[in-house]
Amino acid sequence: MNPEIKVLHDTAMEFNDLGKLAGISGEASKQSNYFKIAYLLEKEAALRYYAQKDNTLWRFGLLRSAGWLAVKNGAYEEAQHLALLGLTGKIDSHSKEELETLMETIQQEIKTKDKEKSTTSTPIYGTLSSADADQNLIKVREDGAQKYYEITVPKHLIFDIIKAYFGEVVEIQATRNEQGAFILNKIKKAA
Amino acid sequence: MRRLNLDQLKKGQPGISESAGLFLSEAGAYCLMKNGHQKGVEIYISGVKEEKLKVYWSQVLTEQMRKTWGDGEEATEYGAMGIAVLLVLKLTKYKILGRLVKGDRTDYLLGNEKDSNNPVAKMEVSGILKADSNNSINKRVGIKKRQVGKIKDRAYPVYIAVTEFGQPAAKFLIYESRN
Protein backbone atom coordinates (compact mmCIF):
# COMPACT_ATOMS: atom_id res chain seq x y z
CA MET A 1 0.00 0.00 0.00
CA ASN A 2 1.49 3.34 -0.94
CA PRO A 3 2.14 5.80 1.92
CA GLU A 4 -0.63 8.23 0.93
CA ILE A 5 -3.30 5.53 0.92
CA LYS A 6 -1.98 4.18 4.20
CA VAL A 7 -2.25 7.61 5.86
CA LEU A 8 -5.79 8.04 4.50
CA HIS A 9 -6.82 4.60 5.75
CA ASP A 10 -5.15 4.87 9.18
CA THR A 11 -6.68 8.29 9.76
CA ALA A 12 -10.10 6.97 8.74
CA MET A 13 -9.80 4.19 11.32
CA GLU A 14 -8.85 6.73 14.01
CA PHE A 15 -11.87 8.90 13.21
CA ASN A 16 -14.03 5.79 13.34
CA ASP A 17 -12.67 5.14 16.85
CA LEU A 18 -13.34 8.76 17.83
CA GLY A 19 -16.89 8.37 16.54
CA LYS A 20 -17.43 5.30 18.66
CA LEU A 21 -16.03 7.07 21.72
CA ALA A 22 -18.26 10.09 21.10
CA GLY A 23 -21.17 7.64 20.92
CA ILE A 24 -20.27 6.26 24.36
CA SER A 25 -20.28 9.81 25.75
CA GLY A 26 -23.69 10.44 24.18
CA GLU A 27 -22.33 13.16 21.85
CA ALA A 28 -24.43 12.31 18.83
CA SER A 29 -23.47 15.33 16.74
CA LYS A 30 -19.74 14.77 17.28
CA GLN A 31 -20.18 11.07 16.54
CA SER A 32 -21.92 11.80 13.29
CA ASN A 33 -19.16 14.25 12.24
CA TYR A 34 -16.40 11.77 13.06
CA PHE A 35 -18.11 8.95 11.17
CA LYS A 36 -18.56 11.25 8.20
CA ILE A 37 -14.86 12.13 8.13
CA ALA A 38 -13.94 8.45 8.58
CA TYR A 39 -16.15 7.55 5.64
CA LEU A 40 -14.77 10.22 3.30
CA LEU A 41 -11.17 9.27 4.08
CA GLU A 42 -11.80 5.53 3.77
CA LYS A 43 -13.66 6.00 0.50
CA GLU A 44 -10.70 7.98 -0.87
CA ALA A 45 -8.29 5.24 0.27
CA ALA A 46 -10.47 2.48 -1.20
CA LEU A 47 -10.91 4.19 -4.58
CA ARG A 48 -7.23 5.06 -4.89
CA TYR A 49 -6.28 1.48 -4.08
CA TYR A 50 -8.89 0.17 -6.52
CA ALA A 51 -7.39 2.38 -9.26
CA GLN A 52 -4.04 0.62 -8.79
CA LYS A 53 -5.65 -2.65 -9.97
CA ASP A 54 -3.72 -4.41 -7.24
CA ASN A 55 -5.60 -7.59 -6.42
CA THR A 56 -4.69 -8.18 -2.79
CA LEU A 57 -6.90 -8.53 0.29
CA TRP A 58 -6.53 -4.76 0.72
CA ARG A 59 -8.54 -4.07 -2.42
CA PHE A 60 -11.69 -5.86 -1.22
CA GLY A 61 -11.10 -5.02 2.43
CA LEU A 62 -10.89 -1.27 1.83
CA LEU A 63 -13.95 -1.26 -0.42
CA ARG A 64 -15.88 -3.26 2.18
CA SER A 65 -14.68 -1.02 5.01
CA ALA A 66 -15.64 2.15 3.09
CA GLY A 67 -18.97 0.52 2.22
CA TRP A 68 -19.81 -0.14 5.89
CA LEU A 69 -18.82 3.42 6.80
CA ALA A 70 -21.09 4.68 4.01
CA VAL A 71 -23.95 2.66 5.54
CA LYS A 72 -23.19 4.22 8.94
CA ASN A 73 -23.54 7.60 7.27
CA GLY A 74 -26.76 6.72 5.49
CA ALA A 75 -25.04 7.03 2.08
CA TYR A 76 -26.65 3.87 0.74
CA GLU A 77 -26.21 4.52 -2.97
CA GLU A 78 -22.50 5.14 -2.49
CA ALA A 79 -22.27 2.06 -0.28
CA GLN A 80 -23.86 0.03 -3.06
CA HIS A 81 -21.42 1.47 -5.59
CA LEU A 82 -18.42 0.56 -3.40
CA ALA A 83 -19.69 -2.98 -2.81
CA LEU A 84 -20.33 -3.45 -6.54
CA LEU A 85 -16.80 -2.29 -7.38
CA GLY A 86 -15.50 -4.97 -5.03
CA LEU A 87 -17.72 -7.65 -6.51
CA THR A 88 -16.64 -6.85 -10.07
CA GLY A 89 -13.86 -8.95 -11.50
CA LYS A 90 -11.84 -11.71 -9.91
CA ILE A 91 -12.54 -12.03 -6.21
CA ASP A 92 -11.86 -14.71 -3.60
CA SER A 93 -14.90 -16.42 -2.09
CA HIS A 94 -14.49 -15.05 1.44
CA SER A 95 -14.27 -11.44 0.29
CA LYS A 96 -17.20 -12.08 -2.06
CA GLU A 97 -19.33 -13.39 0.77
CA GLU A 98 -18.45 -10.40 2.94
CA LEU A 99 -19.30 -7.91 0.20
CA GLU A 100 -22.56 -9.74 -0.49
CA THR A 101 -23.45 -9.45 3.21
CA LEU A 102 -22.79 -5.73 2.92
CA MET A 103 -25.02 -5.56 -0.17
CA GLU A 104 -27.86 -7.35 1.64
CA THR A 105 -27.61 -4.90 4.53
CA ILE A 106 -27.67 -1.94 2.15
CA GLN A 107 -30.76 -3.27 0.41
CA GLN A 108 -32.53 -3.79 3.75
CA GLU A 109 -31.62 -0.27 4.84
CA ILE A 110 -32.90 1.19 1.55
CA LYS A 111 -36.20 -0.69 1.98
CA THR A 112 -36.57 0.60 5.54
CA LYS A 113 -35.76 4.14 4.42
CA ASP A 114 -38.32 3.96 1.58
CA LYS A 115 -40.93 2.69 4.01
CA GLU A 116 -40.19 5.57 6.39
CA LYS A 117 -40.35 8.01 3.50
CA SER A 118 -43.73 6.67 2.41
CA THR A 119 -45.19 7.05 5.90
CA THR A 120 -43.73 10.51 6.59
CA SER A 121 -46.17 13.25 5.88
CA THR A 122 -44.93 16.15 3.70
CA PRO A 123 -46.54 19.58 4.09
CA ILE A 124 -47.37 21.39 0.83
CA TYR A 125 -48.56 25.02 0.70
CA GLY A 126 -49.93 26.67 -2.43
CA THR A 127 -52.87 27.46 -4.64
CA LEU A 128 -55.08 24.66 -5.92
CA SER A 129 -54.75 25.70 -9.54
CA SER A 130 -56.21 22.79 -11.51
CA ALA A 131 -57.85 19.43 -11.10
CA ASP A 132 -58.60 16.31 -13.12
CA ALA A 133 -61.67 14.56 -11.78
CA ASP A 134 -61.22 11.57 -14.12
CA GLN A 135 -57.73 10.91 -12.79
CA ASN A 136 -58.51 11.98 -9.17
CA LEU A 137 -55.65 14.47 -9.37
CA ILE A 138 -55.26 18.02 -8.15
CA LYS A 139 -52.43 20.42 -8.96
CA VAL A 140 -51.13 22.83 -6.37
CA ARG A 141 -48.90 25.74 -7.36
CA GLU A 142 -46.41 26.65 -4.68
CA ASP A 143 -46.85 30.28 -3.65
CA GLY A 144 -44.23 32.62 -5.08
CA ALA A 145 -42.82 29.92 -7.37
CA GLN A 146 -43.70 28.20 -10.60
CA LYS A 147 -43.42 24.80 -8.97
CA TYR A 148 -46.43 22.49 -9.22
CA TYR A 149 -47.28 19.50 -7.08
CA GLU A 150 -49.54 16.81 -8.48
CA ILE A 151 -51.47 15.07 -5.71
CA THR A 152 -53.74 12.06 -5.93
CA VAL A 153 -56.89 12.43 -3.85
CA PRO A 154 -59.51 9.84 -2.84
CA LYS A 155 -62.10 9.37 -5.60
CA HIS A 156 -65.08 10.08 -3.33
CA LEU A 157 -63.57 13.44 -2.26
CA ILE A 158 -62.43 14.90 -5.57
CA PHE A 159 -65.61 16.94 -6.29
CA ASP A 160 -65.89 18.19 -2.70
CA ILE A 161 -62.25 19.30 -2.81
CA ILE A 162 -62.70 21.11 -6.13
CA LYS A 163 -65.85 22.84 -4.82
CA ALA A 164 -64.34 23.89 -1.52
CA TYR A 165 -60.77 24.78 -2.44
CA PHE A 166 -60.38 25.51 -6.17
CA GLY A 167 -58.40 28.77 -6.55
CA GLU A 168 -57.78 28.89 -2.80
CA VAL A 169 -54.44 28.84 -1.00
CA VAL A 170 -54.37 25.50 0.77
CA GLU A 171 -52.27 23.61 3.25
CA ILE A 172 -51.91 19.94 2.41
CA GLN A 173 -50.40 16.97 4.20
CA ALA A 174 -49.35 14.25 1.75
CA THR A 175 -47.26 11.09 1.76
CA ARG A 176 -45.34 9.55 -1.12
CA ASN A 177 -46.22 6.10 -2.43
CA GLU A 178 -43.61 3.57 -3.65
CA GLN A 179 -43.51 5.26 -7.07
CA GLY A 180 -42.81 8.61 -5.42
CA ALA A 181 -46.25 10.10 -6.18
CA PHE A 182 -47.97 12.32 -3.57
CA ILE A 183 -51.12 10.93 -1.93
CA LEU A 184 -53.41 13.32 -0.08
CA ASN A 185 -53.83 12.83 3.66
CA LYS A 186 -55.35 16.17 4.72
CA ILE A 187 -56.33 19.42 3.06
CA LYS A 188 -57.48 22.72 4.58
CA LYS A 189 -57.45 26.40 3.71
CA ALA A 190 -54.12 27.96 4.63
CA ALA A 191 -54.27 30.14 7.72
CA MET B 1 5.49 -17.98 32.79
CA ARG B 2 5.45 -15.83 29.64
CA ARG B 3 3.84 -12.41 29.69
CA LEU B 4 1.41 -10.34 27.67
CA ASN B 5 2.06 -6.66 28.21
CA LEU B 6 -0.77 -4.36 27.15
CA ASP B 7 1.69 -1.45 27.18
CA GLN B 8 3.37 -3.04 24.14
CA LEU B 9 0.36 -1.92 22.11
CA LYS B 10 1.27 1.71 22.73
CA LYS B 11 4.20 1.31 20.34
CA GLY B 12 1.78 0.61 17.48
CA GLN B 13 2.06 -1.91 14.67
CA PRO B 14 2.51 -1.51 10.92
CA GLY B 15 -1.29 -1.27 10.73
CA ILE B 16 -2.06 0.25 14.13
CA SER B 17 -0.98 3.78 14.98
CA GLU B 18 0.50 4.53 18.39
CA SER B 19 -2.62 6.43 19.47
CA ALA B 20 -4.90 3.58 18.40
CA GLY B 21 -2.56 1.17 20.22
CA LEU B 22 -2.87 3.25 23.38
CA PHE B 23 -6.64 3.11 22.99
CA LEU B 24 -6.63 -0.71 22.71
CA SER B 25 -4.27 -0.96 25.65
CA GLU B 26 -6.48 1.15 27.92
CA ALA B 27 -9.62 -0.75 26.88
CA GLY B 28 -7.98 -4.10 27.69
CA ALA B 29 -6.72 -2.85 31.05
CA TYR B 30 -10.14 -1.37 31.87
CA CYS B 31 -11.95 -4.67 31.15
CA LEU B 32 -9.57 -6.59 33.40
CA MET B 33 -9.71 -4.01 36.20
CA LYS B 34 -13.50 -3.71 35.94
CA ASN B 35 -13.61 -7.44 36.68
CA GLY B 36 -11.48 -6.88 39.78
CA HIS B 37 -8.22 -8.21 38.34
CA GLN B 38 -4.81 -6.82 39.12
CA LYS B 39 -1.62 -6.58 37.11
CA GLY B 40 -0.08 -9.99 36.64
CA VAL B 41 -3.44 -11.78 36.41
CA GLU B 42 -3.21 -15.08 34.54
CA ILE B 43 -5.03 -15.57 31.26
CA TYR B 44 -5.63 -19.08 29.97
CA ILE B 45 -4.90 -19.39 26.25
CA SER B 46 -6.23 -22.29 24.18
CA GLY B 47 -6.51 -23.05 20.48
CA VAL B 48 -3.30 -22.96 18.47
CA LYS B 49 -1.47 -23.40 21.76
CA GLU B 50 -2.40 -24.12 25.38
CA GLU B 51 -0.60 -21.83 27.74
CA LYS B 52 -1.09 -19.62 30.76
CA LEU B 53 0.24 -16.10 30.36
CA LYS B 54 0.50 -13.28 32.87
CA VAL B 55 -1.06 -9.99 31.75
CA TYR B 56 0.49 -6.67 32.71
CA TRP B 57 -0.48 -3.04 32.17
CA SER B 58 0.46 0.35 33.59
CA GLN B 59 -2.94 2.06 33.76
CA VAL B 60 -4.73 2.74 37.03
CA LEU B 61 -8.54 2.55 37.18
CA THR B 62 -9.86 6.09 37.58
CA GLU B 63 -13.31 7.69 37.66
CA GLN B 64 -12.49 9.36 34.35
CA MET B 65 -11.72 5.96 32.83
CA ARG B 66 -15.03 4.58 34.12
CA LYS B 67 -16.88 7.53 32.58
CA THR B 68 -15.02 7.12 29.29
CA TRP B 69 -15.87 3.47 28.83
CA GLY B 70 -19.39 3.53 30.32
CA ASP B 71 -21.11 0.16 30.45
CA GLY B 72 -18.09 -1.56 28.97
CA GLU B 73 -19.53 -2.74 25.65
CA GLU B 74 -17.08 -0.71 23.56
CA ALA B 75 -14.28 -1.40 26.03
CA THR B 76 -14.89 -5.12 25.60
CA GLU B 77 -14.69 -4.85 21.83
CA TYR B 78 -11.48 -2.82 21.88
CA GLY B 79 -10.00 -4.68 24.85
CA ALA B 80 -10.50 -7.98 23.02
CA MET B 81 -8.77 -6.45 20.01
CA GLY B 82 -5.83 -5.50 22.22
CA ILE B 83 -5.46 -9.04 23.58
CA ALA B 84 -5.89 -10.51 20.08
CA VAL B 85 -3.14 -8.28 18.67
CA LEU B 86 -0.78 -9.37 21.45
CA LEU B 87 -1.61 -13.02 20.77
CA VAL B 88 -0.81 -12.57 17.09
CA LEU B 89 2.59 -11.16 18.04
CA LYS B 90 3.22 -13.86 20.65
CA LEU B 91 1.92 -16.93 18.85
CA THR B 92 2.37 -16.32 15.13
CA LYS B 93 5.05 -15.03 12.78
CA TYR B 94 2.76 -12.22 11.62
CA LYS B 95 2.28 -8.53 12.33
CA ILE B 96 -0.94 -6.54 12.11
CA LEU B 97 -0.90 -4.92 8.66
CA GLY B 98 -4.24 -3.17 8.97
CA ARG B 99 -7.70 -3.08 10.45
CA LEU B 100 -10.96 -2.67 8.59
CA VAL B 101 -14.52 -1.74 9.44
CA LYS B 102 -16.91 -4.66 9.23
CA GLY B 103 -20.47 -3.87 10.29
CA ASP B 104 -20.24 -2.46 13.80
CA ARG B 105 -16.98 -4.27 14.39
CA THR B 106 -13.44 -4.41 13.09
CA ASP B 107 -11.33 -7.16 11.62
CA TYR B 108 -7.65 -7.39 10.85
CA LEU B 109 -5.31 -8.17 8.00
CA LEU B 110 -2.16 -10.02 9.01
CA GLY B 111 1.11 -10.56 7.21
CA ASN B 112 4.81 -10.05 7.13
CA GLU B 113 6.06 -6.60 8.02
CA LYS B 114 8.40 -6.43 5.03
CA ASP B 115 5.56 -7.12 2.61
CA SER B 116 2.84 -4.93 4.06
CA ASN B 117 1.10 -4.60 0.71
CA ASN B 118 0.32 -8.26 0.69
CA PRO B 119 -1.70 -9.52 3.66
CA VAL B 120 -1.68 -13.30 3.94
CA ALA B 121 -4.27 -13.91 6.66
CA LYS B 122 -7.28 -12.32 8.33
CA MET B 123 -8.38 -12.25 11.94
CA GLU B 124 -11.88 -12.02 13.41
CA VAL B 125 -12.00 -10.71 16.97
CA SER B 126 -14.70 -10.92 19.60
CA GLY B 127 -14.87 -10.24 23.33
CA ILE B 128 -16.96 -11.03 26.41
CA LEU B 129 -16.72 -8.80 29.48
CA LYS B 130 -17.98 -11.46 31.86
CA ALA B 131 -19.20 -14.83 30.67
CA ASP B 132 -22.50 -16.38 31.77
CA SER B 133 -24.42 -19.47 30.72
CA ASN B 134 -25.84 -17.69 27.67
CA ASN B 135 -22.64 -16.00 26.63
CA SER B 136 -19.63 -18.24 27.09
CA ILE B 137 -16.33 -18.18 25.27
CA ASN B 138 -17.09 -21.54 23.63
CA LYS B 139 -20.48 -20.39 22.38
CA ARG B 140 -18.92 -17.25 20.90
CA VAL B 141 -16.16 -19.30 19.27
CA GLY B 142 -18.87 -21.59 17.83
CA ILE B 143 -20.63 -18.61 16.25
CA LYS B 144 -17.40 -17.33 14.73
CA LYS B 145 -16.45 -20.81 13.51
CA ARG B 146 -19.78 -21.17 11.74
CA GLN B 147 -19.33 -17.76 10.12
CA VAL B 148 -15.85 -18.53 8.88
CA GLY B 149 -16.18 -22.27 8.38
CA LYS B 150 -19.00 -22.17 5.83
CA ILE B 151 -16.65 -20.82 3.19
CA LYS B 152 -15.00 -23.84 1.65
CA ASP B 153 -12.44 -22.40 -0.71
CA ARG B 154 -10.82 -19.56 1.16
CA ALA B 155 -7.57 -18.49 -0.40
CA TYR B 156 -6.03 -17.58 2.96
CA PRO B 157 -6.22 -18.65 6.60
CA VAL B 158 -8.57 -16.90 9.01
CA TYR B 159 -7.69 -16.56 12.68
CA ILE B 160 -10.42 -16.32 15.30
CA ALA B 161 -9.64 -14.67 18.64
CA VAL B 162 -12.24 -14.57 21.42
CA THR B 163 -11.31 -13.14 24.81
CA GLU B 164 -13.23 -13.33 28.09
CA PHE B 165 -12.25 -10.87 30.81
CA GLY B 166 -14.24 -12.26 33.80
CA GLN B 167 -12.18 -15.42 34.28
CA PRO B 168 -9.46 -14.27 31.89
CA ALA B 169 -9.24 -16.67 28.98
CA ALA B 170 -8.76 -16.46 25.24
CA LYS B 171 -9.29 -18.90 22.41
CA PHE B 172 -7.04 -18.29 19.45
CA LEU B 173 -7.80 -20.60 16.54
CA ILE B 174 -6.85 -20.84 12.92
CA TYR B 175 -9.03 -21.87 10.02
CA GLU B 176 -6.67 -22.95 7.28
CA SER B 177 -7.57 -22.87 3.62
CA ARG B 178 -9.16 -26.15 2.53
CA ASN B 179 -7.89 -25.93 -1.02
Side-chain angles (χ1 to χ4, degrees), chain B residues 7 10 26 29-30 33 39 57-66 69:
Chain B
D7 289 345
K10 297 176 189 172
E26 181 176 304
Y30 175 77
M33 290 189 282
K39 295 160 195 178
W57 60 89
S58 61
Q59 289 92 342
V60 176
L61 188 60
T62 61
E63 196 49 38
Q64 189 187 31
M65 205 191 266
R66 284 186 203 276
W69 292 107

Side-chain angles (χ1 to χ4, degrees), chain B residues 80-142:
Chain B
M81 287 181 197
I83 297 287
V85 169
L86 292 176
L87 290 176
V88 168
L89 302 180
K90 188 72 85 183
L91 303 176
T92 77
K93 59 188 176 187
Y94 300 131
K95 300 272 187 190
I96 305 294
L97 298 188
R99 58 200 179 114
L100 299 161
V101 175
K102 184 182 183 187
D104 289 328
R105 297 186 171 273
T106 307
D107 63 359
Y108 290 88
L109 297 180
L110 314 182
N112 302 305
E113 190 172 7
K114 285 178 186 166
D115 191 11
S116 65
N117 199 30
N118 197 18
V120 294
K122 288 179 82 171
M123 178 170 68
E124 299 268 353
V125 177
S126 190
I128 299 168
L129 187 59
K130 195 175 181 66
D132 56 38
S133 55
N134 294 319
N135 196 12
S136 68
I137 199 164
N138 282 333
K139 278 189 181 170
R140 188 69 65 84
V141 167

Side-chain angles (χ1 to χ4, degrees), chain A residues 35-185:
Chain A
F35 280 156
K36 191 172 180 186
I37 297 168
Y39 163 54
L40 293 173
L41 293 168
E42 189 75 329
K43 183 172 79 171
E44 184 69 22
L47 294 177
R48 284 194 192 195
Y49 200 92
Y50 178 79
Q52 293 180 348
K53 303 190 187 308
D54 195 349
N55 221 24
T56 73
L57 284 177
W58 277 118
R59 175 189 172 103
F60 310 111
L62 286 172
L63 286 167
R64 192 200 72 199
S65 190
W68 278 115
L69 283 166
V71 169
K72 272 189 187 176
N73 281 279
Y76 303 120
E77 281 180 22
E78 291 190 50
Q80 223 163 3
H81 175 65
L82 290 160
L84 279 173
L85 279 182
L87 287 165
T88 308
K90 197 182 169 194
I91 179 170
D92 69 89
S93 64
H94 196 182
S95 302
K96 184 168 181 259
E97 170 125 354
E98 289 182 334
L99 284 163
E100 283 171 351
T101 305
L102 169 62
M103 273 301 242
E104 280 166 26
T105 305
I106 297 164
Q107 273 148 14
Q108 278 168 7
E109 294 285 347
I110 289 173
K111 261 189 199 167
T112 310
K113 200 178 158 194
D114 285 348
K115 209 175 169 185
E116 276 170 11
K117 208 191 278 176
S118 71
T119 53
T120 307
S121 204
T122 308
I124 297 169
Y125 298 92
T127 305
L128 201 165
S129 58
S130 68
D132 182 338
D134 293 336
Q135 299 291 321
N136 305 317
L137 283 174
I138 57 172
K139 263 190 182 179
V140 173
R141 187 182 68 245
E142 195 175 77
D143 282 350
Q146 282 307 304
K147 187 174 179 182
Y148 287 86
Y149 292 93
E150 214 169 60
I151 301 153
T152 302
V153 303
K155 191 173 185 169
H156 67 282
L157 290 180
I158 183 80
F159 290 110
D160 291 342
I161 287 170
I162 294 169
K163 253 193 240 173
Y165 301 112
F166 197 82
E168 300 281 354
V169 179
V170 291
E171 181 183 336
I172 284 172
Q173 290 292 332
T175 49
R176 282 185 187 272
N177 66 11
E178 283 177 6
Q179 288 73 42
F182 283 112
I183 309 294
L184 179 82
N185 291 340

Side-chain angles (χ1 to χ4, degrees), chain B residues 4-56:
Chain B
L4 285 184
N5 192 343
L6 286 164
D7 289 345
Q8 189 184 350
L9 296 165
K10 297 176 189 172
K11 294 176 190 161
Q13 277 282 293
I16 299 179
S17 67
E18 289 178 11
S19 55
L22 174 68
F23 186 67
L24 300 184
S25 163
E26 181 176 304
Y30 175 77
C31 291
L32 289 164
M33 290 189 282
K34 189 176 164 73
N35 276 295
H37 301 304
Q38 295 188 348
K39 295 160 195 178
V41 64
E42 287 180 10
I43 185 167
Y44 173 67
I45 310 298
S46 58
V48 293
K49 192 170 185 187
E50 274 200 42
E51 185 175 0
K52 273 188 180 173
L53 300 169
K54 283 193 177 221
V55 190
Y56 288 89

